[in-house]
Amino acid sequence: AAAAAAPAWRTSLRTCWTEVACNRALIVSHGGAWTSEYPYDSMPSFERAFALGSDAVKGDFRVSKDGIGMVTHSSPIEIWESPMCVGRKIEDMTAAQIEKCKMALTNYTFISVPELLAWAKDKVIVMLCVKEPKDIARAITTLIENNATDRAFLEVHVSDMANLVPTLPYWDQVYYLAEAGSKGDINTIIAAKSLNRSFTFEFDPNYTQWGVNITQVIEEQLHPHGMRSLTATTEDLPGVAEQEALFRMGIDVVYTYDTVNAIVARTNIDKERGITPP
C-alpha cells in the first residue's frame, strides 16, 4: 500500500509555519533525532526524526571548495563528527571528498544539502543553519536550485537578516529564521526591510536573562508584525514537561534536542488546544 501523504504543514511553509493565527504546536529536530547509532546531521538521524513524526529537521549548512552546500557542523571538522577527517576544513575539500568522510562510530558519511532536500520532499520541512554569513548567498541559491523555497528555510543572525540578506540576489524568494542574541534584536528585526521574509524569531536559550516577559513580547510585538516564535530546549535530554512549558508560554515552535519527548509534548498540547490530528 502507498504511504499516507504527509500533512500539509510538513510539506509547505505556507501552512501554519508562516500563519500567525495557527495554533498548532510545531517541533524541529536538532540535527535530526540522533543517537550514538544515528549520528547528528546524518541521513539516518533525519530519517529517524521523520519516522517519529517530527514537523521539521534541522541540518547545518557549509559550502565545499566546489561550491556545493554540505550538511556539516564544524570547520575544521571536529573529532566527534568524523575521526577520519578531523582537522580538515569543509571549504578546502570538494563535495566528493567530504562525502567520503565517515562519521564517528559508524560507516555513515556526510551528505550534501541537495541530497537532504531531495529526500525531504513531501515528507518534512527542512531548517538549515547557515554557519558562516559568507555562505548565506549560496544557501539562498541552493534552495532555489532545488525547488525548496516553500519547504526549507534558513537560520541566520538578526544582524545579518537586517543588513546583509537584503543586499543578496534572490533574497526575497526564501524564508528565514532570525536568530537573536539580545532583547534589542526584537526591535532590530521588526524595523528591518527584510521583516516580511523573517517569518520566525528565535529566542536565544538565555532569553530568561533578558528581563522581558516572553509571552507578552510574542503577543504584543512578534505576532502583530507577522512573526512567529521559536526557542531551543536545553541540550541535556529535555523532558516532556519542559517542552510543554515552552508551548504554554506562547512559543510557536520548539527546537528540540529530544524528539521522542517533544512528540509527546506536542501531542499533549495539541489535544489541550483541540487541534486534530494532534
Side-chain angles (χ1 to χ4, degrees):
W9 64 90
R10 293 185 192 151
T11 62
S12 172
L13 292 168
R14 287 174 293 182
T15 300
C16 201
W17 293 89
T18 54
E19 297 176 315
V20 169
C22 180
N23 202 29
R24 177 178 291 281
L26 296 170
I27 63 170
V28 178
S29 294
H30 184 276
W34 46 277
T35 64
S36 58
E37 186 179 356
Y38 306 120
Y40 174 93
D41 266 356
S42 70
M43 185 60 84
S45 178
F46 297 131
E47 290 171 341
R48 181 171 182 258
F50 165 67
L52 287 169
S54 189
D55 301 303
V57 295
K58 172 263 184 181
D60 295 292
F61 184 98
R62 289 188 180 273
V63 180
S64 66
K65 184 178 181 180
D66 50 347
I68 305 299
M70 303 300 298
V71 184
T72 52
H73 184 275
S74 307
S75 183
I77 296 167
E78 296 191 24
I79 195 164
W80 62 266
E81 298 172 283
S82 172
M84 176 181 177
C85 293
V86 64
R88 301 187 68 181
K89 292 184 177 180
I90 298 299
E91 60 270 28
D92 292 339
M93 304 168 70
T94 65
Q97 290 173 326
I98 296 166
E99 289 175 335
K100 290 179 182 175
C101 292
K102 290 184 178 180
M103 303 176 98
L105 306 177
T106 72
N107 286 321
Y108 300 124
T109 58
F110 293 129
I111 60 172
S112 70
V113 173
E115 183 180 352
L116 172 59
L117 293 174
W119 165 80
K121 188 175 187 297
D122 298 325
K123 293 186 182 76
V124 68
I125 296 294
V126 173
M127 168 177 158
L128 293 170
C129 176
V130 186
K131 305 302 287 186
E132 302 283 349
K134 64 182 175 59
D135 291 337
I136 296 174
R138 185 66 185 109
I140 291 170
T141 56
T142 296
L143 295 194
I144 294 171
E145 290 165 5
N146 291 275
N147 298 311
T149 56
D150 181 46
R151 55 189 181 86
F153 61 97
L154 305 178
E155 177 186 6
V156 301
H157 194 272
V158 165
S159 60
D160 292 322
M161 192 69 227
N163 302 305
L164 173 61
V165 169
T167 71
L168 301 174
Y170 316 115
W171 73 273
D172 56 355
Q173 296 182 32
V174 172
Y175 287 112
Y176 305 86
L177 164 69
E179 177 191 4
S182 70
K183 67 180 180 180
D185 286 337
I186 299 168
N187 294 325
T188 298
I189 198 61
I190 288 173
K193 172 186 175 183
S194 53
L195 174 65
N196 64 327
R197 302 305 295 185
S198 315
F199 77 99
T200 301
F201 182 92
E202 179 179 359
F203 289 99
D204 182 283
N206 294 318
Y207 64 81
T208 51
Q209 300 172 21
W210 295 2
V212 297
N213 181 317
I214 295 300
T215 305
Q216 188 175 4
V217 167
I218 293 168
E219 293 176 352
E220 298 181 4
Q221 292 183 267
L222 297 185
H223 283 180
H225 286 91
M227 291 191 75
R228 308 194 77 213
S229 58
L230 173 151
T231 195
T233 62
T234 54
E235 296 183 21
D236 187 23
L237 298 177
V240 172
E242 175 192 333
Q243 301 187 69
E244 288 178 346
L246 293 174
F247 285 123
R248 291 196 181 102
M249 187 188 300
I251 295 294
D252 297 299
V253 185
V254 168
Y255 183 22
T256 184
Y257 281 79
D258 190 312
T259 299
V260 173
N261 284 339
I263 298 287
V264 176
R266 181 194 66 194
T267 302
N268 291 344
I269 293 295
D270 281 345
K271 284 180 178 177
E272 281 181 17
R273 296 174 179 176
I275 294 172
T276 54

